[in-house]
Amino acid sequence: MEDYCCAEREKLEAWLDDHLEFTHSYFIRKASREMVNGWFAERIHSNQPFASKDNPLQQRAHQSSTDLTSPATLCFLNNRCPSPATVPSPAPGTPTCKILASEFDRPLRPIVVKDSEGSLTFLSEADRQSVIVQGGSVMGEGCVTGGGSGSGIDRCARLLELVKDVSSHLDVTALCHKIFLHINELMTADRYSLFLVGEDSSNRKFLVSRLFDVAEGSTLEESSSSCIRLEWNKGIVGHVAATGQLLNIKNAYEDPRFNAEVDLITGYKTQSILCLPIKNHRDEVVGVAQAINKKGGEDSAFSEQDERDFSAYLAFSGIVLHNAQLYETSQLENRRNQVLLDLASLIFEEQQCLEVLLRKIAGTILSFMQAQACTVFIADDDSMNSFSSVFYMKYEELREVLDAPKRDCDVNQINYMYAQYVKNTMQSLNISDVTKDQRFPWTRENPDHTSNQIKSLLCTPIRNDKKDKVIGVCQLVNKMDEASSSVKAFNRNDEQFLEAFTIFCGLGIQNTQMYETVERAMAKQEVTLEVLSYHASAAEEESQELQVSTVPSAQSLRLMDFSFSDFDLSDIETTQATIRMFVDLNLVQNFQMKYTSLCQWVLSVKKNYRKNVAYHNWRHAFNTAQSMFTLLKSGHLQNNLSDLEVLALMIATLSHDLDHRGVNNSYIQRSDHPLAQLYCHSTMEHHHFDQCLMILNSSGNQILSGLSLNEYKTTLKMIERAILATDLALYMKRRGEFFELTKNSQFVWEDEQHKDLLRSMLMTACDISAITKPWPVQKRIAELVATEFFEQGDKERQELNIEPSDLMNREKKDKIPSMQVSFIDAICTQLYETLAGMSEFCSPLLEGCQKNRQHWKRLAEESEKGLVAGLV
């Protein structure tokens, strides 16, 4: 079985090799993060030499170095700080680094590997061998051999070996100690010091010791335990750094640049000094190396050979040291990027509460920037010169848990004024010493009050996503020096880093504010719906009255007649007739409707039609439902529809004009009504459906509670499409397909799309069924429609300052008969003909429509002759 599996695996691999495009595509689509990490790890580890078991020092160096070849650290390098002072760790919850597609396609050679001793290096073993060969030729040319003697050749070979030993080191501290060991081999001296060049926030150079007065046998830990800062161009070391020239002093006390204070303190006697600059590949001084007291007697001095050996070695060491400093800088930048990613992670984790978010932002900033306090001001949209809220945190509070971190009272006026200045100018503000800054009037007027609290200050605006508006201000005060615990100024790096911070802060604050706004809006909506549902629901007394009343039969109410008219029915009788239709269609029994809920729902629907609307009111909805009932019963369509479809159609007909305002969609759009902002088309129809949902979900009106979840979703979808279908604009778009299907006998009752078309056509047929009623009823309804249209025309003329169309213009009422004829020809006739063709029992609709056309045609002819003035 195992042999079979191996054979099959080989076949599969061969097939994948022959179809590389598929293999690549499959890997891109299916590869997981673990697979990618494993893929990288396997190849990186294959290039990594391991520590030798026979060399304890090599093993120790390997174990103490951070493993940069693991997948978790491919993107973020070692976070050790090069200085003795420690940097607080980033905020918890740092997101895992992702590998970009562009990075994925790069060659597999790792950025940093370990050499045979476990030290970090940019060079692979092959590259190091190449450098060694090239270095050997350079050393051979530049080394002074003293006339070609054997000892000179041996000295050059030894220098070459020393250079090879440090060429791959990347840790600055370890490299400095290695340089010390090599210098001690080249020339025997009693003490050694090594200084590196640094710059402060004002770009002023200074020297800081990495090794100071170390002697032979000193360990790495002992050598790097002290840190001394020297001024530029002062003293022997400062002079060498500034001039770039070596100094070989036989008697230190005879040189005016020598400072004997150290000797007085330690009791050590400095005699001879050899001090040389360390330069990089651009011939810039990056450090100074110093040897003190040449061994060999009291009067021993450093020779010219010592100078040559020292210079030759430092020429290469300077380049290696420069590379190590570049690596150290890259580590710092990676740590900065890590903190930015921490903040981004925090922002997208917390978007529900602004105060919690601000606390996390302030905590992250304080832990990295080492400031005494952080204040975040949130701008007030309603006022140009104030803030809506202020968050304040001290460095000591980083590990505390505050239930109410918002503190308006703890921020003094000076904090506020600086923040207001930054908000107005939209520019960062960095003040090294507030007590000496005279740009602002509040500082000049009250300097004592300022000096007691703030010395250095960094204030940066927080902008929105478009960068054109300040939504807040982040302010840091009193940056602390870790070594001395004194207050120092914020430098340019601090400015740039805080500006980067505030980009994330702006996104987080804006998203959180938006979330809170949406939450408040949803809460208001919930309260509004609660109030509306209370007022929209029928009174309990009215519902109980309907429940106990006797519901007449469909025959006595003539509900199954196509010529039905509601003019003789009272309002209570219309609600009873509605109950009868639901009962006779078996909807109450089939869907376990509670009779109390049905009565409550019918009365609530009735209540949500506006009584001041002439035509599109409860009576119109009731007549539309009666027409649907007649089509289903007398038209024999119920047998071809499912119970859910019948239920959806009856609910839709009763609800299709809920909360109608007596105006059409065109008026809603042109008047910039708030409803027009909610929907891009079929505005009122969407609103009718929303009202329908609100009533169905209101307490006591839940007539669909007996449906399963799938039935409920299906029914609501059919109700929505049915109500939207009453928009005549949608009817005109879809009717051609329906007419074509029936004309060619291609309509299939089992096809859901065909049945959806049929339901839409039935909704329109019932909505305009007044055109099929007996002439007296039709004429009376036409007068109601005209009244509503003329009222809209009056509004258009008065409010929109436009001339209404003839249909809405009461001055053109004499054209009503001809417009009715056009309406019948364009909208009604073909629809009723098609339905009659599907079921001969639906033909009364067509007959009634044709009869009414004859009446309207006659009136139109008489109107042209001036015999009638119109309807209303």
Side-chain angles (χ1 to χ4, degrees):
M1 183 64 183
E2 185 176 351
D3 295 338
Y4 173 77
C5 292
C6 292
E8 289 298 314
R9 188 181 298 110
E10 290 176 359
K11 289 181 180 179
L12 179 59
E13 288 185 2
W15 189 89
L16 292 174
D17 291 337
D18 294 336
H19 300 79
L20 292 179
E21 291 185 3
F22 171 84
T23 306
H24 178 77
S25 173
Y26 182 85
F27 185 82
I28 293 299
R29 289 184 290 108
K30 299 290 187 178
S32 64
R33 174 61 54 192
E34 289 74 17
M35 292 172 61
V36 175
N37 288 342
W39 187 78
F40 264 96
E42 181 178 345
R43 284 154 178 76
I44 291 174
H45 285 307
S46 65
N47 293 332
Q48 175 187 327
F50 292 91
S52 171
K53 294 181 180 180
D54 299 330
N55 192 337
L57 178 62
Q58 182 177 340
Q59 286 185 334
R60 189 161 56 249
H62 179 77
Q63 293 168 358
S64 63
S65 300
T66 301
D67 184 8
L68 299 183
T69 58
S70 64
T73 55
L74 282 174
C75 294
F76 295 113
L77 301 178
N78 183 9
N79 284 341
R80 286 184 300 149
C81 182
S83 64
T86 59
V87 175
S89 60
T94 303
T96 304
C97 179
K98 304 292 191 296
I99 299 177
L100 300 178
S102 58
E103 295 293 326
F104 186 81
D105 290 334
R106 292 176 61 181
L108 289 176
R109 176 188 171 192
I111 298 174
V112 177
V113 296
K114 292 183 179 180
D115 61 13
S116 57
E117 296 183 3
S119 300
L120 302 177
T121 176
F122 287 112
L123 305 177
S124 65
E125 288 299 318
D127 293 333
R128 292 183 64 214
Q129 294 298 327
S130 175
V131 170
I132 289 170
V133 173
Q134 296 174 8
S137 63
V138 173
M139 181 65 75
E141 294 175 4
C143 189
V144 179
T145 62
S149 64
S151 61
I153 296 175
D154 293 341
R155 184 179 294 275
C156 287
R158 182 56 186 152
L159 280 173
L160 176 60
E161 289 183 8
L162 296 179
V163 170
K164 287 161 52 179
D165 193 28
V166 298
S167 63
S168 63
H169 280 272
L170 294 177
D171 184 272
V172 175
T173 303
L175 176 61
C176 291
H177 185 260
K178 183 74 76 172
I179 291 174
F180 149 67
L181 296 176
H182 292 172
I183 295 174
N184 189 52
E185 287 189 39
L186 289 173
M187 50 184 186
T188 54
D190 193 39
R191 301 285 178 93
Y192 301 91
S193 297
L194 195 150
F195 299 85
L196 298 183
V197 177
E199 290 185 358
D200 59 17
S201 57
S202 302
N203 295 324
R204 292 190 297 267
K205 292 184 177 181
F206 61 89
L207 294 162
V208 61
S209 67
R210 282 304 178 94
L211 304 174
F212 184 73
D213 264 5
V214 295
E216 183 178 1
S218 298
T219 64
L220 174 62
E221 292 74 15
E222 293 171 346
S223 302
S224 58
S225 59
S226 60
C227 183
I228 296 176
R229 176 168 169 165
L230 301 180
E231 293 187 34
W232 191 259
N233 203 18
K234 285 190 177 182
I236 293 176
V237 175
H239 174 80
V240 170
T243 61
Q245 301 296 322
L246 69 82
L247 284 178
N248 189 349
I249 302 173
K250 295 182 179 181
N251 190 339
Y253 282 86
E254 294 179 357
D255 194 302
R257 293 164 296 196
F258 175 69
N259 185 356
E261 291 182 5
V262 177
D263 282 4
L264 294 175
I265 295 173
T266 62
Y268 181 79
K269 176 72 181 295
T270 301
Q271 184 67 33
S272 58
I273 298 176
L274 179 58
C275 192
L276 283 85
I278 304 175
K279 299 181 179 181
N280 61 15
H281 63 287
R282 293 193 295 268
D283 204 36
E284 298 170 341
V285 176
V286 295
V288 175
Q290 178 179 264
I292 300 175
N293 290 354
K294 171 76 173 181
K295 288 185 178 180
E298 270 189 46
D299 298 330
S300 294
F302 292 99
S303 65
E304 292 184 2
Q305 184 63 46
D306 291 332
E307 293 179 14
R308 286 192 292 270
D309 291 344
F310 207 174
S311 298
Y313 176 74
L314 290 181
F316 286 92
S317 298
I319 298 175
V320 176
L321 185 61
H322 179 69
N323 289 339
Q325 288 178 316
L326 289 178
Y327 173 64
E328 187 177 86
T329 302
S330 71
Q331 286 182 298
L332 175 61
E333 290 304 317
N334 278 317
R335 288 198 301 276
R336 289 171 178 260
N337 293 336
Q338 180 70 61
V339 176
L340 288 175
L341 290 174
D342 287 337
L343 180 59
S345 177
L346 290 175
I347 286 173
F348 292 108
E349 283 177 2
E350 179 57 58
Q351 293 192 355
Q352 297 183 3
C353 178
L354 182 60
E355 292 185 9
V356 174
L357 174 67
L358 293 180
R359 173 171 175 76
K360 289 186 176 182
I361 290 174
T364 305
I365 293 176
L366 284 176
S367 65
F368 187 83
M369 304 288 283
Q370 299 294 306
Q372 279 188 353
C374 175
T375 310
V376 180
F377 301 83
I378 303 301
D380 190 348
D381 292 334
D382 300 327
S383 175
M384 290 292 295
N385 298 313
S386 65
F387 296 101
S388 61
S389 60
V390 178
F391 179 87
Y392 177 75
M393 177 184 280
K394 293 182 179 179
Y395 184 83
E396 294 78 11
E397 300 172 13
L398 283 178
R399 293 174 177 83
E400 297 179 9
V401 178
L402 299 179
D403 295 329
K406 181 180 176 182
R407 302 180 181 177
D408 298 281
C409 300
D410 289 348
V411 182
N412 59 43
Q413 186 180 8
I414 292 179
N415 294 73
Y416 173 84
M417 296 304 295
Y418 285 121
Q420 187 63 53
Y421 173 82
V422 170
K423 176 177 178 290
N424 294 338
T425 60
M426 299 181 68
Q427 298 296 326
S428 296
L429 180 65
N430 187 353
I431 303 177
S432 58
D433 192 340
V434 172
T435 60
K436 298 179 181 179
D437 191 279
Q438 299 297 314
R439 288 178 293 174
F440 306 102
W442 55 84
T443 307
R444 296 192 298 267
E445 294 169 1
N446 196 3
D448 294 334
H449 179 62
T450 304
S451 61
N452 291 334
Q453 299 184 16
I454 302 175
K455 186 174 182 182
S456 61
L457 178 143
L458 178 59
C459 203
T460 301
I462 301 173
R463 295 180 173 87
N464 61 354
D465 56 346
K466 296 181 180 178
K467 306 292 189 298
D468 59 352
K469 180 183 177 182
V470 174
I471 61 175
V473 175
C474 181
Q475 179 175 282
L476 298 176
V477 297
N478 296 346
K479 182 174 181 178
M480 302 304 297
D481 189 299
E482 293 175 327
S484 62
S485 297
S486 61
V487 176
K488 62 180 181 179
F490 294 96
N491 56 35
R492 179 55 185 159
N493 287 336
D494 296 328
E495 288 184 41
Q496 294 175 342
F497 194 73
L498 188 58
E499 288 172 359
F501 257 127
T502 55
I503 294 175
F504 292 100
C505 293
L507 293 174
I509 291 172
Q510 196 169 22
N511 289 345
T512 305
Q513 287 177 329
M514 188 180 301
Y515 180 88
E516 290 183 341
T517 301
V518 170
E519 269 204 330
R520 286 194 296 269
M522 291 179 65
K524 289 181 179 179
Q525 182 187 34
E526 186 175 348
V527 173
T528 302
L529 287 176
E530 182 182 355
V531 174
L532 285 176
S533 63
Y534 173 77
H535 291 286
S537 296
E540 187 175 348
E541 297 80 8
E542 189 179 1
S543 177
Q544 290 177 351
E545 182 181 348
L546 179 58
Q547 293 172 30
V548 299
S549 65
T550 301
V551 178
S553 65
Q555 288 76 14
S556 62
L557 293 171
R558 301 184 61 234
L559 291 176
M560 291 190 292
D561 294 349
F562 285 100
S563 60
F564 171 83
S565 171
D566 69 300
F567 290 139
D568 296 331
L569 298 179
S570 64
D571 283 351
I572 187 63
E573 288 176 324
T574 59
T575 57
Q576 292 173 340
T578 303
I579 298 295
R580 172 53 60 189
M581 288 188 285
F582 272 73
V583 171
D584 286 5
L585 289 170
N586 297 322
L587 300 179
V588 178
Q589 302 90 320
N590 292 340
F591 299 107
Q592 295 82 45
M593 287 185 190
K594 294 181 181 179
Y595 192 73
T596 56
S597 298
L598 179 60
C599 293
Q600 180 79 13
W601 177 78
V602 171
L603 291 171
S604 297
V605 170
K606 173 179 173 292
K607 184 178 181 180
N608 279 270
Y609 278 95
R610 302 195 177 200
K611 295 180 179 180
N612 62 340
V613 177
Y615 175 66
H616 290 98
N617 50 38
W618 162 249
R619 293 287 178 146
H620 167 65
F622 169 70
N623 279 297
T624 304
Q626 184 276 329
S627 296
M628 183 64 72
F629 178 77
T630 306
L631 281 171
L632 294 172
K633 284 291 189 180
S634 303
H636 295 192
L637 294 180
Q638 183 179 7
N639 297 332
N640 295 316
L641 300 174
S642 67
D643 291 337
L644 279 180
E645 288 177 297
V646 173
L647 175 64
L649 287 172
M650 291 304 297
I651 294 175
T653 50
L654 284 168
S655 306
H656 81 282
D657 274 331
L658 276 168
D659 195 41
H660 201 289
R661 282 77 186 301
V663 292
N664 59 15
N665 287 331
S666 176
Y667 179 86
I668 293 293
Q669 295 287 343
R670 286 182 293 177
S671 62
D672 292 329
H673 193 279
L675 283 173
Q677 299 176 10
L678 297 177
Y679 316 104
C680 58
H681 66 88
S682 303
T683 304
M684 289 305 300
E685 286 72 23
H686 277 104
H687 178 59
H688 303 325
F689 174 68
D690 288 344
Q691 293 296 109
C692 173
L693 276 183
M694 183 195 72
I695 297 174
L696 285 172
N697 292 324
S698 299
S699 178
N701 297 299
Q702 297 165 333
I703 61 174
L704 301 181
S705 60
L707 275 63
S708 67
L709 180 60
N710 287 336
E711 290 175 335
Y712 180 78
K713 291 180 178 180
T714 302
T715 303
L716 286 186
K717 192 63 180 177
M718 287 193 291
I719 293 173
E720 180 182 17
R721 292 184 63 82
I723 292 178
L724 294 181
T726 58
D727 183 357
L728 286 179
L730 294 182
Y731 162 75
M732 297 300 291
K733 290 180 181 179
R734 303 190 66 190
R735 67 174 189 169
E737 181 183 358
F738 179 70
F739 295 158
E740 193 69 20
L741 286 173
T742 54
K743 179 181 178 181
N744 299 326
S745 301
Q746 294 177 342
F747 184 88
V748 179
W749 286 97
E750 291 75 19
D751 191 311
E752 178 54 36
Q753 290 185 351
H754 292 184
K755 292 182 75 174
D756 178 62
L757 264 178
L758 173 63
R759 292 193 298 268
S760 299
M761 297 301 114
L762 290 177
M763 287 296 298
T764 302
C766 296
D767 191 20
I768 61 175
S769 61
I771 202 69
T772 68
K773 301 297 181 181
W775 173 245
V777 177
Q778 155 63 188
K779 190 171 182 294
R780 185 174 173 181
I781 294 176
E783 291 173 352
L784 294 174
V785 174
T787 300
E788 183 177 309
F789 284 178
F790 291 160
E791 288 176 357
Q792 175 177 327
D794 295 340
K795 289 180 180 180
E796 291 176 349
R797 186 179 282 111
Q798 296 168 5
E799 298 175 8
L800 304 182
N801 197 27
I802 61 175
E803 187 65 19
S805 63
D806 291 349
L807 187 62
M808 307 290 178
N809 194 343
R810 65 174 68 252
E811 296 175 2
K812 303 291 183 67
K813 61 182 179 181
D814 57 318
K815 294 187 177 181
I816 289 179
S818 61
M819 287 189 290
Q820 285 291 90
V821 173
S822 300
F823 175 75
I824 293 172
D825 292 342
I827 305 295
C828 308
T829 302
Q830 192 173 5
L831 174 59
Y832 292 129
E833 286 177 346
T834 303
L835 292 178
M838 294 185 71
S839 173
E840 60 178 344
F841 300 103
C842 298
S843 57
L845 291 174
L846 177 60
E847 295 168 0
C849 180
Q850 291 173 338
K851 291 178 180 178
N852 287 327
R853 186 187 186 281
Q854 295 175 0
H855 289 293
W856 287 117
K857 182 65 175 176
R858 178 179 55 80
L859 285 179
E861 294 172 351
E862 292 176 356
S863 178
E864 290 180 1
K865 298 177 182 179
L867 299 178
V868 293
L871 290 176
V872 293

